[in-house]
Amino acid sequence: MGVLMSRRQTVERVQKVSLAVSAFKDGLREQPSTRRRAEAGAARQGTLEQEVQEGEEEASAGPSKPEESSASKAAWERLRDGRGVEPEEFDRANRFTPPAFIRPKRELHDDEPPDISLEQREQILNDEMCEICEVWTAESLFPCRICPRVYHDGCLRRMGYLQKDSTVEVTETAHTETGWSCYYCDNLNLLLTEEEMYSLMETLKNCKIIPGACLTLDDFLHYKHQVHKQQFERTMPEAQEEQAALQFNALDPDKKGHIEWQDFLSHESIQLLQKIRPQNALLRLLTPKERERARAAFLALDQDNDGFIGESECRQARHTWFRKHQKEMLSCNVRQGWLGGGGHPYFGGRPWGSSIAGLSNEPTSARRSIDWPGFLRENVAYILAARPNSAALHLQPLA
């Protein structure tokens, strides 16, 4: 106990220093940006931060009010830093300082096919100490269903990542087979590199999308039309507009008439990843937990154990990744995560055979056979898109 208390005291000292540094940085942000404007004519290196500053200076030169330009500036900064869900009025009193997100970088071997064996299972172990305070308290830790990190609900609350309306959801799902995604895995935008983020921000600026704002159906369709016209220099076909409307409905599961900013940002992030990165690079983003879930899905679909499944079963699997928030899931401990039990939440929580068998009435000879590598390639984007805790479908599977 003496060691534990000593560690807690050390953590508290570090957090006090972090709060002081954070307050100092906040004070600097609130100062007038006269020095930036004076240096606007200097040579620029073309980095993402400098490009964002140019956009901010252009916006401040317009007829908008100072309050609006300040809010817009803060919104673009949050988007650049991957903090798209942090409110401007974030109360830092008695809170930990949120971590600085570091965007990934592409490696030379990313486009090469990864070796993901179907037969060789992976051992899934969660971390033993809280990611935030680095203290071990066994059953009171909440595991992420995507990565090995674990957290205390109190630490999440003090960081501002766990609000009152989401506390119950986390406590109910974190120790079930359905699981809960931590703030790293919940934000698909953090998968983008700095260059990819710059590309997305340019698109949003050109289409006059305001960071943090909700989008109605008309806003969403107008945005999709603009993006299509900029990319192909022609009007978007009616069939694609219908598909965009279906995607809007998928992003608005509660039928509120608008989609939340974070859901829109996650959707656009996964769309950009599909366009820019090859499937091999996307496969390298999968975590051991996600690969194990994919193995279990394929083996359940492969009824005759010949290493192949039908095309209709593969299409069905794309929909099953998004079956979340099952209230009847069995509880399991931190080490087991959501991998325990005979059923699976992404197949309705039923045993594999009963939930998969008989999905298609097509004769076997008429189906396109898909092997394990093909199954992964065709489903990787949907597996990644299912990471957020939101009930929204960030990548609507085609029928």
Side-chain angles (χ1 to χ4, degrees):
M1 179 61 71
V3 175
L4 181 60
M5 291 301 295
S6 176
R7 295 196 61 171
R8 285 182 177 174
Q9 292 170 356
T10 302
V11 169
E12 288 176 358
R13 292 195 193 99
V14 172
Q15 295 303 332
K16 287 180 180 178
V17 174
S18 298
L19 286 172
V21 173
S22 177
F24 176 73
K25 290 182 178 179
D26 289 344
L28 291 179
R29 291 194 188 102
E30 294 173 359
Q31 293 179 359
S33 57
T34 54
R35 184 168 60 86
R36 285 186 183 176
R37 290 193 292 268
E39 298 173 352
R44 297 185 178 276
Q45 299 298 322
T47 63
L48 173 60
E49 183 175 359
Q50 291 165 335
E51 293 293 340
V52 172
Q53 290 176 3
E54 289 179 355
E56 293 165 356
E57 292 164 359
E58 292 175 0
S60 62
S64 59
K65 297 180 180 179
E67 295 82 1
E68 295 174 341
S69 61
S70 176
S72 176
K73 172 184 174 182
W76 284 112
E77 287 180 350
R78 290 198 304 273
L79 180 59
R80 176 198 62 198
D81 298 337
R83 298 180 290 114
V85 296
E86 182 182 339
E88 293 177 14
E89 63 276 9
F90 184 73
D91 181 13
R92 296 186 182 278
N94 299 319
R95 293 187 185 273
F96 293 154
T97 301
F101 294 113
I102 301 177
R103 293 196 174 275
K105 295 182 179 180
R106 295 291 307 277
E107 303 293 340
L108 294 176
H109 66 280
D110 279 355
D111 296 346
E112 300 175 3
D115 183 16
I116 305 178
S117 172
L118 176 62
E119 294 77 17
Q120 186 175 356
R121 307 296 295 269
E122 299 180 64
Q123 186 178 14
I124 303 299
L125 291 176
N126 287 313
D127 294 339
E128 294 186 348
M129 295 190 297
C130 174
E131 176 72 12
I132 299 170
C133 69
E134 297 185 349
V135 172
W136 177 80
T137 50
E139 295 299 325
S140 63
L141 292 170
F142 293 92
C144 175
R145 66 184 176 90
I146 306 298
C147 69
R149 301 182 184 95
V150 293
Y151 302 84
H152 292 117
D153 60 336
C155 293
L156 291 170
R157 194 176 296 108
R158 290 186 65 185
M159 287 183 66
Y161 290 110
L162 194 60
Q163 305 298 330
K164 292 181 180 180
D165 55 349
S166 59
T167 302
V168 175
E169 178 183 344
V170 172
T171 56
E172 287 184 352
T173 60
H175 289 286
T176 67
E177 294 181 50
T178 300
W180 160 81
S181 295
C182 70
Y183 52 84
Y184 287 104
C185 302
D186 181 67
N187 190 353
L188 295 179
N189 185 251
L190 296 180
L191 295 175
L192 301 184
T193 64
E194 185 174 289
E195 294 78 13
E196 292 165 344
M197 190 62 225
Y198 168 75
S199 174
L200 178 57
M201 289 177 66
E202 283 295 297
T203 300
L204 296 176
K205 285 184 178 180
N206 292 336
C207 296
K208 295 182 171 54
I209 294 295
I210 302 175
C214 299
L215 280 77
T216 65
L217 176 59
D218 290 339
D219 297 332
F220 188 74
L221 292 179
H222 180 68
Y223 167 78
K224 289 294 185 181
H225 273 283
Q226 285 186 296
V227 171
H228 188 276
K229 193 168 185 178
Q230 290 176 8
Q231 185 175 358
F232 301 103
E233 298 183 350
R234 63 174 184 270
T235 305
M236 186 169 67
E238 184 176 349
Q240 283 188 248
E241 182 177 350
E242 293 177 356
Q243 187 62 35
L246 290 175
Q247 179 63 71
F248 178 88
N249 292 333
L251 291 170
D252 180 25
D254 298 329
K255 309 303 177 187
K256 295 179 292 187
H258 66 268
I259 55 179
E260 302 294 334
W261 164 252
Q262 188 61 25
D263 289 325
F264 171 75
L265 183 61
S266 291
H267 164 69
E268 288 302 307
S269 299
I270 197 68
Q271 286 274 86
L272 183 62
L273 285 174
Q274 277 191 301
K275 293 177 183 177
I276 293 181
R277 298 196 200 180
Q279 288 175 321
N280 287 334
L282 293 181
L283 287 171
R284 293 185 179 276
L285 298 177
L286 296 179
T287 65
K289 290 183 179 181
E290 290 173 316
R291 293 194 294 266
E292 272 300 289
R293 188 176 70 193
R295 284 189 185 92
F298 185 86
L299 292 173
L301 291 165
D302 184 15
Q303 297 292 304
D304 51 7
N305 297 320
D306 65 348
F308 293 90
I309 63 172
E311 183 177 7
S312 59
E313 284 87 353
C314 188
R315 287 199 305 267
Q316 180 69 15
R318 297 170 197 169
H319 293 266
T320 59
W321 305 122
F322 300 102
R323 293 185 182 175
K324 308 174 189 175
H325 310 296
Q326 299 290 335
K327 301 299 182 182
E328 69 276 6
M329 291 299 100
L330 299 175
S331 295
C332 48
N333 59 36
V334 171
R335 290 187 178 273
Q336 289 176 327
W338 45 261
L339 291 172
H344 196 282
Y346 293 84
F347 290 91
R350 293 171 291 174
W352 286 107
S354 62
S355 62
I356 300 302
L359 286 176
S360 174
N361 295 323
E362 301 177 64
T364 304
S365 59
R367 304 183 212 169
R368 178 171 65 95
S369 295
I370 299 176
D371 60 4
W372 166 241
F375 175 80
L376 281 179
R377 288 193 301 270
E378 296 193 21
N379 284 283
V380 60
Y382 299 101
I383 298 174
L384 294 173
R387 286 185 177 186
N389 295 306
S390 169
L393 271 65
H394 300 99
L395 191 62
Q396 171 69 19
L398 298 175

